[in-house]
Amino acid sequence: DIQMTQSPSTLSASIGDRVTITCRASQTISSWLAWYQQKPGKAPNLLIYKASNLESGVPSRFSGSGSGTEFTLTISSLQPDDFATYYCQEYYSYSPAFGQGTKVEVK
Amino acid sequence: QVTLQESGPALVKPTQTLTLTCTFSGFSLTTPGMRVSWIRQPPGKALEWLARIDGDDEKFYSTSLRTRLTISKDTSKNQVVLTMTNVDPVDTATYYCTFGSYYRAWGQGTLVTVSS
């Protein structure tokens, strides 16, 4: 099975900061990677698909990059609504895997 | 517009079988390429993919849970059913159903507690 490893697990940041979250796959997944944002008590919300495609309705301050085994999610200027937990997910395999999550908290 | 809704028991006893139903609208699960997956999330923990069923009735399971899971569909009712046998308190989680390969649409989730 493919393992997805996110770093950091927790990130402390301030409004306006540029935030970068990394996701590494244990084997190549081409660009078959998605990013989600989850807030407490809610289902995850799709942000990015196919590594760098912004989902409709998602603010342009979110961007994704990478291919193969290393990927990043960047928030160009952190907004109050962005404090949440972020997950990467590979959909290359028949048994898709999620990363363990990155919590973005107030510094 | 795709919508999904999970339903099932809130409380299950250890060793029992858990049955969850996902009722969906906005697509047909008879169409090749359409797929519904189940994902769970224990309280305070990460998301875990469980199983998937496709429009052509292909089924896929988590490697670690495959012996305990069965996924099926009832296309006349637009439903997907997941059964999990021999549940344990570690199976306590919010269970979600989702649509597609990457998940644009999610149900609201249903919290299942396994406790005697």
Side-chain angles (χ1 to χ4, degrees), chain A residues 8 10-21 75-84 86 102-107:
Chain A
T10 306
L11 189 158
S12 299
S14 302
I15 300 301
D17 283 354
R18 183 180 182 87
V19 167
T20 299
I21 299 168
I75 309 173
S76 60
S77 177
L78 194 68
Q79 299 302 301
D81 193 46
D82 301 338
F83 292 102
Y86 295 83
T102 295
K103 183 177 181 180
V104 177
E105 62 179 24
V106 177
K107 187 172 183 179

Side-chain angles (χ1 to χ4, degrees), chain B residues 2-112:
Chain B
V2 172
T3 65
L4 309 104
Q5 183 164 334
E6 307 87 353
S7 58
L11 181 64
V12 183
K13 289 180 169 30
T15 75
Q16 288 186 337
T17 294
L18 169 64
T19 299
L20 296 169
T21 301
C22 174
T23 303
F24 59 85
S25 65
F27 65 98
S28 172
L29 203 46
T30 59
T31 305
M34 296 293 107
R35 51 191 58 169
V36 170
S37 298
W38 284 94
I39 291 160
R40 72 178 179 180
Q41 186 172 38
K45 296 189 177 181
L47 300 161
E48 179 183 20
W49 183 88
L50 299 177
R52 181 185 110 194
I53 189 165
D54 292 357
D56 60 2
D57 210 36
E58 275 215 89
K59 300 163 188 176
F60 304 89
Y61 295 99
S62 160
T63 302
S64 60
L65 292 168
R66 66 169 59 248
T67 61
R68 298 173 53 210
L69 296 176
T70 303
I71 193 169
S72 62
K73 61 186 171 100
D74 184 335
T75 52
S76 67
K77 294 181 179 178
N78 277 358
Q79 290 181 335
V80 171
V81 175
L82 181 74
T83 62
M84 177 183 290
T85 60
N86 192 27
V87 297
D88 180 90
V90 299
D91 297 313
T92 294
T94 296
Y95 287 76
Y96 296 99
C97 60
T98 66
F99 164 77
S101 297
Y102 50 88
Y103 309 126
R104 280 193 165 116
W106 297 67
Q108 84 282 3
T110 186
L111 175 61
V112 177

Side-chain angles (χ1 to χ4, degrees), chain A:
Chain A
D1 289 1
I2 297 174
Q3 313 297 322
M4 305 300 291
T5 304
Q6 285 181 237
S7 60
S9 297
T10 306
L11 189 158
S12 299
S14 302
I15 300 301
D17 283 354
R18 183 180 182 87
V19 167
T20 299
I21 299 168
T22 298
C23 179
R24 289 187 173 87
S26 60
Q27 63 186 75
T28 183
I29 58 169
S30 185
S31 296
W32 303 116
L33 185 100
W35 288 97
Y36 302 87
Q37 178 193 69
Q38 188 180 33
K39 296 184 178 179
K42 300 292 188 182
N45 182 50
L46 177 68
L47 300 174
I48 301 283
Y49 62 95
K50 209 172 179 186
S52 61
N53 292 269
L54 191 69
E55 173 68 351
S56 176
V58 173
S60 59
R61 62 182 179 271
F62 291 93
S63 64
S65 64
S67 67
T69 61
E70 189 148 339
F71 303 86
T72 58
L73 173 71
T74 300
I75 309 173
S76 60
S77 177
L78 194 68
Q79 299 302 301
D81 193 46
D82 301 338
F83 292 102
T85 300
Y86 295 83
Y87 293 94
C88 61
Q89 175 230 337
E90 63 84 11
Y91 52 102
Y92 176 86
S93 72
Y94 288 125
S95 182
F98 289 90
Q100 81 278 17
T102 295
K103 183 177 181 180
V104 177
E105 62 179 24
V106 177
K107 187 172 183 179

